[in-house]
Every structure is written in C-alpha cells, then in structure tokens.
C-alpha cells in the first residue's frame, strides 16, 4: 500500500500553531508583497473568498472578519521538516513530494491494521507539531491522491481513506471524479480528453493504455494503469527538471538606484544558482531583466532584458552573479523607477551527463573540484544555519527592492530573536 499524507490548509495551520486565537477565524496568507491570497482556511473559503484574490479587492465587510497574514516561508519550511521527521517514525519509506505532501510506502504492513496505524500517525503528527494531516491509501500514487481528497473533505473517513482498486465504492468515486482533478492531468489535457469522450476518472481507467500513449505520452498511459491500481508512476514523471529557472520578485517600493538594483540582481542570480545545484543542472546562459510599472502612466517606461553567455556550463554562484552584474551595467539607464528585476537560468543541461563544447572556456580538474567543494560547503552552511548565512555579497536590510511583509508573524522556530515569549501571570 502507498499512502499520501497531506497537511490540511498547511500555511494557515502553521500560523495557528503559534497563535491559537486564529482557530475558527477566517484566515488568509498573502503572496509576496502582500498582494494576493495564496492560502485559505476553511472559514475564509466559506465566505466565498477565491484563491488568488487580491487583498485590496476584498469587500470591507469580509475584510473586517478576516486575519490576513504575510507569507512566512521560513516558518513553513521548518514546520514541514518537523512533520516529515515525525512521519519517518511510522515508516522508513518517506518520499517528500512538496512542502505539505509526502508519499509513504507501507510494504510489509498488515493490511487490516493499516488504517489504525495511520490514525495513530495522524494523532502523533498533530501532538508533535500541531499540524492536522489527512491520509489517502491505495495501491498506486494516483489512487492515493484521490483517496486523500476524500479523507480531507468527508468527515466520515475521520482523516484516513483507503481505496481498494477493484472495490465497488472505488468505481463509484472515480465515476464522480472529473478527469481534470487527477494528479498530473492539466486543464488543457482534460479538454483533449473531453474531445475523445473521456470526462471522468473511471472513463480514463477504461481507456486503452496504448492509445493514450499514442495520443498523449507515456505518463498518460501510466495514469491509466495507476487508476487500475498498478503502481507505475514516479514523482519524477510528474515533476521533471525545469528547462529554465526564473528567479524574480516585485519590489517593496519603486527604485531607480543602481546600487539597489545591483543588490536585487545579485540575490536573484544567487538563488538561481542554488536551484541549479538542487536539481543537478548547469546553465549555459542567463537572462537579466528589469521592469517599470506599466500601470503608472505618469512614469517613464523602460523594460530592458539582456542574455549573457556564460564562459562554460556552470552552477557556480560567483560566475553567475558576475555575469548578471555585467548585464545590469550594460542595460541600466538612470531616470527610471523600476518595480521588478529577475534572472533566468537558460539552456540547462544535466550536470552528471554534460558534454563540454569545444568553444567552452577550459577549466582544470583541480579548479572544478575546488569550486564544487566550495559551493557544496556554502549550501550546507545555509541549510544548517539559515538562508544567506553565507552569500555572494550582502544586501542592506531596508533596501527598496525587498518585499513588503507588513503582516508577517515571527519565524518562531528558526530565529533566536523571534522565539515565543511566555509570561507567568
């Protein structure tokens, strides 16, 4: 059996762990720069607030009822780690899928005791971390995803739902599940399936796997088998390495100072290099861009971008930052107020199978090994002691390009100076 554990309303649940006053209240977590609502409690959903709603568009009567908080990703990431560590006490096979989801393997566990085991796991996760979770069980990842939605939405399952692939209730559930709701089936793919007369998950299960492969891809063929209870999709089939990596953010306030733009570009280039190393890729080129606010018709507009070829395919932060700074120098013009900057890693290749080009700048084995060790040590320090403990250059604390986060709660679990304070009455 395979289990999918999903943290319920994860961002909101993290906030409620440290502020019990939020329990039962409509709570929304805002995107970068406190723009749109990206996470919602059940209470705010009941008020009709949709995902992605700009905060300023909330009607005043609803706004007064809601607690809107800035995103606190440092806290959410640490709470996710704590949940995963607790799950590992219940099975050695834990595969992290996202910040709030993990697939669990239960090979060798007694089938008739598995739901009871998962109920106990839910209890311990809630006790240890304060985070409520739901568990979906089946013989394939796709069916476990379907089961998890049921466990979350229907109180009758008490947080744990098991779907046997050939059971009558499984057929009934799949007949009522739109094909677009399945794991890995995008809306455009759903439209193509609808044109073929396939609207429900059950109809897709009954389809010819070979035809699905010819019409779509091997992943769609595997989805058909998964709906029949055969475990054949790996998470890598759904989440393939990115072909381009973009790192960008809107600024907290407009700025035209080159020094502040240089900081922003340096930070984005460093983040992009980290992401390259995380997925085992190297970049052959980068693109740097700046944007003014197109909605401010009273301001001059200038939206430059520049692609820079790197001396060799690399994931070295220093080389990438240096190239990004050169691009900024070339395209910067004074007299404009910019609202956004970004850096894209382009023409990516798998580092393990990379073939060097004759035109690439040569590098000795000793230099390459030394640079790789340096980047590995820098990543390790930042993982263990917090992001930007070691960085390429330092950013000023109150730079204009930094995000607005006026409603961010303390990062309770990762900052000594933001630990909760207990007062004895």
């Amino acid at each position: 059996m395979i289990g999918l554990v999903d943290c319920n309303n994860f961002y909101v649940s993290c906030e409620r762990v440290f502020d019990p006053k939020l329990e039962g209240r409509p709570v929304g977590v805002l995107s970068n720069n406190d723009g749109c609502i990206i996470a919602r409690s059940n209470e705010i959903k009941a008020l009709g607030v949709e995902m992605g709603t700009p905060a300023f568009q909330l009607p005043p009567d609803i706004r007064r009822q809601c607690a809107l908080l800035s995103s606190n990703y440092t806290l959410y990431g640490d709470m996710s780690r704590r949940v995963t560590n607790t799950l590992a006490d219940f099975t050695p096979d834990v595969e992290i899928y996202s910040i709030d989801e993990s697939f669990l393997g239960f090979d060798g566990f007694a089938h008739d005791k598995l739901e009871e085991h998962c109920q106990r796991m839910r209890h311990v996760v809630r006790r240890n971390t304060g985070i409520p979770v739901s568990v979906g069980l089946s013989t394939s990842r796709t069916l476990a995803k379907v089961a998890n939605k049921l466990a979350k939405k229907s109180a009758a399952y008490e947080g744990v739902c098991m779907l046997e692939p050939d059971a009558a209730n499984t057929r009934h559930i799949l007949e009522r599940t739109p094909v677009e709701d399945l794991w890995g089936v995008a809306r455009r793919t759903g439209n193509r399936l609808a044109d073929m007369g396939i609207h429900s998950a059950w109809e897709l299960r009954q389809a010819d796997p070979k035809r699905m492969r010819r019409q779509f891809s091997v992943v769609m063929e595997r989805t058909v088998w998964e709906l029949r209870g055969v475990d054949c999709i790996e998470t890598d089939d759904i989440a393939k390495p990115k072909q381009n990596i973009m790192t960008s953010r809107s600024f907290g306030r407009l700025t035209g100072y080159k020094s502040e733009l240089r900081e922003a570009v340096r930070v984005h280039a460093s983040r992009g290099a980290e992401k390259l190393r995380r997925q085992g890729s190297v970049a052959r080129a980068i693109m740097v861009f700046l944007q003014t606010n197109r909605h401010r018709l009273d301001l001059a507009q200038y939206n430059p971008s520049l692609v820079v070829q790197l001396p060799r395919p690399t994931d070295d932060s220093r080389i990438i930052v240096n190239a990004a700074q050169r691009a900024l120098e070339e395209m910067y013009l004074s007299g404009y107020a910019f609202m956004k900057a970004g850096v894209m890693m382009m023409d990516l290749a798998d580092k393990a199978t990379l073939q060097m080009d004759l035109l690439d700048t040569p590098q000795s084995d000793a230099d390459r090994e030394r640079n790789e060790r340096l980047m590995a040590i820098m990543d390790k320090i930042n993982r263990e002691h917090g992001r930007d403990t070691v960085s390429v250059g330092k950013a000023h604390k109150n730079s204009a390009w930094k995000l607005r986060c006026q409603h961010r709660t303390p990062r309770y679990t990762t900052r000594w100076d933001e630990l909760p304070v207990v007062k004895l009455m």
Side-chain angles (χ1 to χ4, degrees), residues 7-19 23 27 29 41 76 79 126 129-132:
C7 300
N8 301 343
N9 303 320
F10 180 57
Y11 291 176
V12 172
S13 294
C14 289
E15 300 289 353
R16 284 174 166 170
V17 169
F18 297 95
D19 187 359
E23 289 287 349
V27 180
V29 176
S41 68
Y76 308 152
M79 294 299 289
R126 185 65 182 265
T129 68
I131 303 296

Side-chain angles (χ1 to χ4, degrees), residues 52-73:
T53 301
F56 74 88
Q57 289 185 1
L58 287 179
D61 59 322
I62 291 181
R63 178 67 182 86
R64 285 192 293 269
Q65 300 177 58
C66 299
L68 298 183
L69 305 173
S70 302
S71 50
N72 192 344
Y73 295 115

Side-chain angles (χ1 to χ4, degrees), residues 146-390:
V146 174
N148 184 274
K149 288 184 179 180
L150 291 169
K152 184 178 292 187
K153 292 183 178 180
S154 176
Y157 291 103
E158 298 181 339
V160 177
C161 174
M162 180 184 291
L163 287 184
E164 299 286 0
D166 297 320
N169 72 311
T170 300
R171 173 173 180 167
H172 180 62
I173 290 164
L174 294 181
E175 287 175 339
R176 293 184 297 133
T177 301
V179 72
E180 297 92 343
D181 288 354
L182 292 174
W183 183 41
V185 178
R187 180 179 299 177
R188 184 177 299 178
T189 303
N191 291 337
R192 289 180 59 194
L193 288 168
D195 292 339
M196 299 169 63
I198 298 173
H199 303 276
S200 71
W202 179 257
E203 290 170 336
L204 181 58
R205 171 178 164 142
Q206 298 301 100
D208 178 15
K210 297 301 181 185
R211 183 190 179 199
M212 291 298 102
R213 180 169 184 160
R214 290 193 302 270
Q215 295 287 333
F216 297 92
S217 66
V218 67
V219 175
M220 184 60 71
E221 177 191 18
R222 291 174 181 171
T223 298
V224 175
W225 287 112
E226 287 260 326
L227 290 170
R228 299 177 184 182
V230 180
D231 178 32
C232 56
I233 284 185
E234 301 292 335
T235 52
D236 288 344
D237 294 330
I238 303 297
K240 295 182 178 179
K242 296 178 181 178
Q243 298 303 305
N244 294 301
I245 292 177
M246 171 69 80
T247 308
S248 67
R249 290 289 185 273
S250 297
F251 299 162
R253 60 182 187 273
L254 299 177
T255 182
Y257 292 110
K258 186 193 289 187
S259 59
E260 293 188 324
L261 296 172
R262 190 181 293 117
E263 282 185 11
V265 167
R266 183 174 67 234
V267 169
H268 293 328
S270 297
R271 294 277 186 272
E274 290 173 11
K275 293 178 181 179
L276 281 174
R277 296 193 291 272
R278 198 176 302 142
Q279 77 167 30
S281 298
V282 290
R284 294 188 175 93
I286 63 170
M287 181 183 75
V288 181
F289 71 87
L290 301 173
Q291 289 181 1
T292 50
N293 189 342
R294 61 188 177 88
H295 300 292
R296 289 287 302 273
L297 302 181
D298 57 319
L299 298 177
Q301 300 294 308
Y302 177 48
N303 300 288
S305 65
L306 186 65
V307 175
V308 178
Q309 188 78 23
L310 297 171
R312 68 182 71 87
T314 185
D315 60 7
D316 191 313
S317 295
R318 298 166 301 168
I319 296 173
I320 291 171
V321 167
N322 183 264
Q325 299 285 33
R326 291 201 315 271
L328 176 64
E329 291 294 332
E330 286 190 41
M331 64 187 186
Y332 172 78
L333 292 176
S334 61
Y336 295 93
F338 295 99
M339 65 160 290
K340 190 174 186 178
V343 180
M344 177 185 285
M345 308 292 117
M346 302 178 64
D347 198 4
L348 306 190
D350 180 45
K351 187 174 183 178
T353 60
L354 178 68
Q355 294 290 325
M356 297 297 290
D357 192 285
L358 291 175
L359 299 179
D360 291 336
T361 303
Q363 183 182 31
S364 69
D365 290 341
D367 282 346
R368 183 171 61 255
E369 291 177 4
R370 182 170 58 250
N371 292 345
E372 288 180 356
R373 285 200 304 272
L374 176 60
M375 292 297 106
I377 291 171
M378 186 170 75
D379 290 342
K380 182 179 180 181
I381 292 173
N382 287 332
R383 280 196 306 270
E384 294 179 354
H385 298 279
R387 174 175 279 183
D388 294 331
T389 301
V390 179

